[in-house]
Amino acid sequence: MKIEYTTHGTCSKMILIDVDDDSKVINDVQFIGGCPGNTIGLSAMVRGQKAEDVIKKLEGIQCGMKPTSCPDQLANALRQSLQQS
């Protein structure tokens, strides 16, 4: 399943995600905008992981004084995609 998620409250503007329909394993994540080193690193770390496991690890992470972060937005996107499937 291909997901295009528009982020809210972060430097990144969008997250493109590819999750296997059957296993719910993340095949690829690409952030549009944001801090390249952090978003590329985050993408590499979650590739091959089950979406549910990634959600548990990343949801609620804040960036500085912001109430959200790129990892938190990724968790939100994954949660929404699992609810729709």
Side-chain angles (χ1 to χ4, degrees), residues 3-10 15 17 19 26 31 42 51-52 54-62 67-84:
I3 304 155
E4 288 187 11
Y5 180 81
T6 302
T7 60
H8 301 81
T10 60
I15 309 172
I17 310 167
V19 178
I26 300 168
F31 286 84
L42 179 59
E52 269 298 324
V54 171
I55 292 167
K56 289 175 189 173
K57 291 177 184 177
L58 301 182
E59 68 183 345
I61 293 176
Q62 297 178 328
T68 190
S69 65
C70 289
D72 184 54
Q73 289 294 294
L74 175 57
N76 290 343
L78 291 169
R79 183 173 303 289
Q80 282 185 13
S81 72
L82 292 180
Q83 290 172 350
Q84 293 172 0

Side-chain angles (χ1 to χ4, degrees), residues 8-74:
H8 301 81
T10 60
C11 299
S12 63
K13 301 299 177 201
M14 180 174 282
I15 309 172
L16 307 175
I17 310 167
D18 180 18
V19 178
D20 183 79
D21 288 329
D22 297 323
S23 67
K24 305 302 183 213
V25 168
I26 300 168
N27 295 322
D28 192 41
V29 174
Q30 187 176 25
F31 286 84
I32 308 302
C35 304
N38 291 332
T39 57
I40 291 169
L42 179 59
S43 297
M45 291 176 67
V46 302
R47 200 171 297 121
Q49 302 292 313
K50 288 189 172 262
E52 269 298 324
D53 294 339
V54 171
I55 292 167
K56 289 175 189 173
K57 291 177 184 177
L58 301 182
E59 68 183 345
I61 293 176
Q62 297 178 328
C63 184
M65 299 300 290
K66 297 177 184 178
T68 190
S69 65
C70 289
D72 184 54
Q73 289 294 294
L74 175 57

